[in-house]
Structure formats: C-alpha cells, structure tokens
Amino acid sequence: MPNRYAYLGPAGTFTEAALHELHPGMPEGTSVACTGVDAVFAAVRNGDVDAGVVPLENSVEGGVTTTITELVNGAPLLISAEAAIPVRFTLAAREGSAIADVKRIATHPHALAQVRGWISAHLPEAETFAVSSTAAAAQAVAEPAAPYDAAVCAAIAAERYGLRPLADDIGDCSEAATRFVQVSRPGALPAPTGADRTSLVAFIADDHPGALVELLNQFALRGVNLTRLESRPTGDGLGRYCFCIDADGHVADAAVGEALMGLRRVCRDIRFLGSYPRADEGSGPAQIVPAKGTSNADFHDAERWLERIRTGCAD
Ligand SMILES: O=C(O)C(=O)C[C@]1(C(=O)O)C=C[C@@H](O)C=C1
C-alpha cells in the first residue's frame, strides 16, 4: 500500500507544494489535507497517516510556533525529511472585483507578516484577518457570501478556487523561502547521505553563567556547524527556556554523535528530533571544510588509539 501523508491544507497551500517536492508523482488519494498544523501532528501520532508535512521556519518571519511547540512538547516524533521552497504571494479576489473594493483581507499570519509593507502601501485602510492557511483564505473568499474581499495566497490557490489575481508577487522580500519538515513516528533513521541535518531540543540543567556557551561548545569543539538556534519557553515559568538546534551532519557521523553525548552529559534533557537529508545539499554551509581533527576518520583513529592505551597495546 502506498504511504499516506497529511499536510496543512486545503489544497493549494505552500505546504502542499512542499509535499509534492518531497514526493514527486505521489499517487492520487495518498495525501490528507488537515485544517491546522496540530491536526497534521495528531494524524501522524494516531497512525491515520505514515507521515505529515508542516512548515517549520520562514526566512522573513522565523519559526512557526505551532510546529515548534508540537516538536518540543508533544508526544515524540522524528523529522524524516525537509524541503525549502520560495514563497511568492498573490492578492486574489472574486471575479469582477478591483483593488479599490478590497476592505477585508484574509490570510495565514506568517503570510501577512511577509506582505505587511505592500498592504500598508497599497491598501492602508484594509482590515486583515488570520485564517488557518493561505489556501483556506482563498477558499473562503471564493464563497458567494464570503466575509472577506480578498486573500493573500499562492497563485496556484487563486487559480484552484477560481479567484482573479489583483496583484502578483506582493511579498516585501523577493527572496522569501519557507522550510518545511516531514514528521514521522519514531523508527529507523534515514541513512546518512553526506549532506544531512540533525535537529534536537536541549534543556539546560540549571540556570548559571555560561550555560548556553557550554551547550554550544559541545558542537564547536567537534567542528559541527549549527544552522539554527531558537530559544523557546519551556512553559514552566518566566525565564525558563529550551533551545531548538539544527546542526550540519548526521547522528551517525562521529563528530555529531560525540557532540550529542557531550550534550547528554551537560544538559538536563535532550530531545533528539532526527537526522535527515538537507534540502540544500550541494550548497551553503554543508560545504564548510571540516575543522582539523573532526572527520569520521580522525574520531575513529583517536578512539582506536585510546583503546590501545587502555588495553596495554600502545605502541
Ligand atoms: O498557508 C500556507 O500556504 C502554508 O503552507 C503555511 C505557511 C506558514 O506557516 O508559514 C507557509 C508558507 C508561507 O510562509 C505562509 C504560510
């Protein structure tokens, strides 16, 4: 039976585009549109689907809170894949509308944050309304008795719901991109590819000067490059934070594995969120030349040397 995937729906979201990027040519009927990120997580956890795709971070607006909260606090799931896609926004309305008619605009909060400048320049009087996704906004605007005049959505969503684009490419940052992750129930990890990413959440043991530096040193000492560090409240009281970390490399790599063991020693708790192929393999920080003494071979050589000393076989 083909795998089934949940995603933040309805059809026409950027998340659906990410799902198709991860699984090109997936058979009809294998995707399940959910009305919220939390519903995607629930579908994965209760076994309705094999995996789910959700937005994790946007290059302009940052982390997607619901996704991060689910990964940090919900029943453990693993990230098994990622996709990064450019996000371009269209203002779309029912046939016959003009820009001057737009008084009420619906969209997803992350999308709104990325078009705020355009809206205040072109529609300063318009009211904005947050809905569960950009495609949900387009779907709502298409209703004859819609409470909104226009949606900020992907061009493909405008087309799917029969809306007319009033303005294209209205994002304030032309290079905006969103990173999506596929989450699965815990199981075997994807094999290392040589261009991987590892995600985890670190809970520091106690609040003291240098606690974050101690944590970061575990990576720095082993030459592991970090690609994301985000603090999130633990929910246990003001000033209590955990740290969401993405690092280059796979947990099967000696340097990453040793960094994780170091974290385990200095932190109260570590939630491992997965090792999976990087979406941008072949470019960017994955190309960083490993620091001297941090390759797999260097670690294994040092391990064998220590073993010889311990067993009295040192030369
Ligand atoms: O609403 C959508 O189309 C989504 O896929 C969600 C989402 C997000 O959560 O950031 C994805 C990409 C865009 O940045 C705007 C919205």
Side-chain angles (χ1 to χ4, degrees):
M1 217 172 68
N3 281 343
R4 279 162 52 82
Y5 300 96
Y7 70 96
L8 172 64
T13 56
F14 291 102
T15 313
E16 190 194 31
L19 171 66
H20 287 290
E21 172 137 337
L22 286 170
H23 303 285
M26 54 191 289
E28 281 282 312
T30 53
S31 63
V32 179
C34 296
T35 43
V37 162
D38 42 0
V40 175
F41 276 87
V44 178
R45 288 193 179 109
N46 65 28
D48 288 348
V49 291
D50 298 283
V53 176
V54 287
L56 176 66
E57 60 168 333
N58 171 259
S59 60
V60 179
E61 186 55 7
V64 177
T65 313
T66 315
T67 299
I68 296 169
T69 304
E70 287 284 349
L71 286 169
V72 173
N73 302 320
L77 292 180
L78 287 181
I79 300 175
S80 46
E82 69 170 15
I85 64 168
V87 283
R88 305 286 173 264
F89 299 103
T90 292
L91 182 75
R94 290 179 295 280
E95 211 45 68
S97 314
I99 285 211
D101 304 326
V102 175
K103 305 273 182 295
R104 296 164 68 87
I105 303 173
T107 194
H108 185 276
H110 252 65
L112 180 60
Q114 295 173 75
V115 300
R116 215 183 288 286
W118 188 94
I119 291 181
S120 54
H122 296 88
L123 291 164
E125 304 297 323
E127 262 186 284
T128 53
F129 297 86
V131 293
S132 58
S133 71
T134 55
Q139 195 177 42
V141 169
E143 295 295 323
Y148 316 114
D149 306 313
V152 171
C153 59
I156 196 163
E159 195 184 317
R160 174 177 278 269
Y161 297 104
L163 301 181
R164 192 166 84 86
L166 299 178
D168 282 318
D169 232 341
I170 63 170
D172 299 329
C173 295
S174 58
E175 298 303 310
T178 298
R179 182 173 156 230
F180 298 83
V181 289
Q182 173 177 292
V183 290
S184 317
R185 290 181 296 284
L189 302 180
T193 64
D196 303 292
R197 201 188 306 280
T198 291
S199 298
L200 57 95
V201 189
F203 298 84
I204 56 176
D206 59 292
D207 188 18
H208 63 274
L212 179 58
V213 171
E214 263 171 30
L215 194 157
L216 297 178
N217 269 342
Q218 302 304 323
F219 296 98
L221 290 171
R222 281 112 185 165
V224 177
N225 183 53
L226 300 188
T227 54
R228 177 170 155 260
L229 171 66
E230 190 165 346
S231 56
R232 291 285 310 153
T234 58
D236 302 335
L238 272 179
R240 293 180 186 267
Y241 286 89
C242 60
F243 299 96
C244 302
I245 295 173
D246 288 344
D248 279 340
H250 194 283
V251 69
D253 297 338
V256 176
E258 296 242 353
L260 261 64
M261 285 198 288
L263 287 178
R264 163 98 186 160
R265 291 195 301 268
V266 301
C267 290
R268 172 168 63 80
D269 196 14
I270 303 291
R271 181 178 276 210
F272 174 70
L273 292 178
S275 287
Y276 48 91
R278 290 170 59 114
D280 54 352
E281 50 73 40
S283 67
Q287 296 307 298
I288 289 172
V289 179
K292 189 169 169 354
T294 61
S295 71
N296 273 342
D298 293 327
F299 276 96
H300 292 146
D301 178 66
E303 229 171 78
R304 281 195 299 270
W305 171 78
L306 182 63
E307 191 55 27
R308 286 200 300 276
I309 291 177
R310 283 175 171 165
T311 54
C313 302
D315 25 65

